[in-house]
Amino acid sequence: MIRAMVRRALVLTAAFAAALTPVTCRGESSNALPAKATRELPPELLSLLQQKKMEKNSPIVVRLFKEEAELEVWKQNSAGRFQILKTYPICRWSGDLGPKLHEGDRQAPEGFYTVTPDLMNPNSNFHLSINLGYPNKFDRANKRDGSFLMIHGDCWSSGCYAMTDEQISEIYSLARDSFLGGRPSFQVQAYPFRLTPANLARHRNNPNLSFWKMLKIGNDHFETTQLEPRVDVCNRRYVFDAQPPPNSPSPLVFNPAEKCPPFVVNPQIARRALEKRRADELEYARLLEDNLPAAPIYSGLDGGMNKAFLAQFPGRVTLAKVMPYASYLPQLPPIPWIDNDGSLTSKWFGTSFSKPVVCDAARASFPSGRC
């Protein structure tokens, strides 16, 4: 048994090392892993894992929040549930609130992404980097493009989520160790802000609201169950924790650009998420009734930075060099969502985006955001 475990660990280590070398971030390829990519977790983080009853090689989930400028690492505990391990202040993210649409728009992505070992770059010029895998199936189905969108070090961003070198070293090591535990990937959930009723009410005038409410479904599944949501795409929409209807003769097949097949949401997950959604809707309605002030649609700034870094890196958040983001939103058709009780929750998706894609000269002429 012990010999088998050792052999498995050696195989995984070799496979991981081999997978790490293909992608560089403005750097040179190298066949040898640098010391920074193999460094052990610091003692205080190893102690924290022990306190929280988390195995060093257990799976992780990474959550990103633009407006709060925070990155969370959640890790699976001995009960099989994900719990928060550590929150890192984000040193720099670029663009505005809202998803990435095009190469060069400087937008940091929003959505659900899957990171595999080949997306881990130990030879980045930004110390270390983790490619988010943008564009994913949802992005491609909606004709969105871009490349080399990362979580990396150096506290400088052009479409990425930039951390300090010390932070990315820890995050990279946590991701690496999760692969060595046998998981082939980990999930990244990227949000404009924490999807609370108050934040959604503040941003109620933003043309991205229906997109954010769609992301909230996956967010609610995760927060109410502490389980990584299964993510599929059909009809150019995210679908979470879908399973075949009872007595279905065939497995589900999702085509990102085509009509969704008949499905139901896992009943145990749907029940908890539905309770949260109803409570959040009531709070959202109350906030609107109380005339909670609405946030501006366009910030006028290129990205943001956690307040913890403002004194250390003055002047790194500048005026935006792209046109207001809402000026070139795509059209997405709304679809009815049938959950376990048969009700339609398409209102959580909102209405379709009302403005067509417009290619503006200011954005088109700006250098592409590669990191």
Side-chain angles (χ1 to χ4, degrees), residues 220-284:
D220 290 354
H221 283 205
F222 179 75
E223 290 191 353
T224 57
T225 65
Q226 288 79 54
L227 298 173
E228 178 183 311
R230 173 178 170 172
V231 181
D232 292 293
V233 180
C234 57
N235 200 27
R236 299 191 288 130
R237 292 281 181 176
Y238 282 115
V239 172
F240 302 99
D241 294 307
Q243 62 185 40
N247 304 317
S248 175
S250 56
L252 285 177
V253 177
F254 290 99
N255 186 307
E258 295 183 2
K259 183 180 178 181
C260 296
F263 69 90
V264 296
V265 177
N266 181 305
Q268 294 181 344
I269 297 173
R271 188 181 310 111
R272 296 182 183 183
L274 182 62
E275 291 174 358
K276 183 179 188 302
R277 194 192 77 220
R278 286 173 174 168
D280 287 350
E281 285 178 332
L282 290 173
E283 177 64 9
Y284 181 88

Side-chain angles (χ1 to χ4, degrees), residues 2 6 18 21 30 42 105 111 119 132 166 208-209 213 236 244 281 322 324 326 339 347 349:
I2 295 176
V6 170
T21 56
S30 172
D105 64 6
L119 296 179
L132 292 174
E166 181 182 3
N208 290 297
L209 185 61
K213 286 182 175 179
R236 299 191 288 130
E281 285 178 332
V322 292
D339 54 26
K347 64 177 180 178
F349 285 138

Side-chain angles (χ1 to χ4, degrees), residues 8 12 16 41 49 55-62 73-76 82 115-117 120 130 170-187 228:
R8 183 183 181 215
L12 284 168
F16 180 73
L41 291 171
L49 288 173
E55 295 292 333
K56 177 184 169 186
N57 298 133
S58 70
I60 65 169
V61 167
V62 172
V73 176
W74 292 61
K75 199 161 176 64
Q76 196 177 72
F82 284 90
V115 176
T116 52
M120 303 276 287
I130 301 172
E170 286 191 10
I171 297 164
Y172 191 97
S173 295
L174 287 166
R176 175 202 65 209
D177 290 348
S178 74
F179 290 131
L180 295 177
R183 284 290 290 265
S185 64
F186 68 89
Q187 187 176 91
E228 178 183 311

Side-chain angles (χ1 to χ4, degrees), residues 123-168:
N123 298 303
S124 171
N125 277 359
F126 292 91
H127 192 64
L128 294 164
S129 62
I130 301 172
N131 192 319
L132 292 174
Y134 179 95
N136 62 16
K137 292 179 180 179
F138 172 88
D139 300 317
R140 290 193 295 270
N142 287 284
K143 310 299 182 185
R144 300 175 180 181
D145 58 60
S147 55
F148 302 107
L149 282 308
M150 310 272 185
I151 303 170
H152 60 65
D154 199 40
C155 191
W156 191 261
S157 174
S158 180
C160 300
Y161 293 93
M163 316 300 293
T164 65
D165 290 353
E166 181 182 3
Q167 289 174 326
I168 192 60

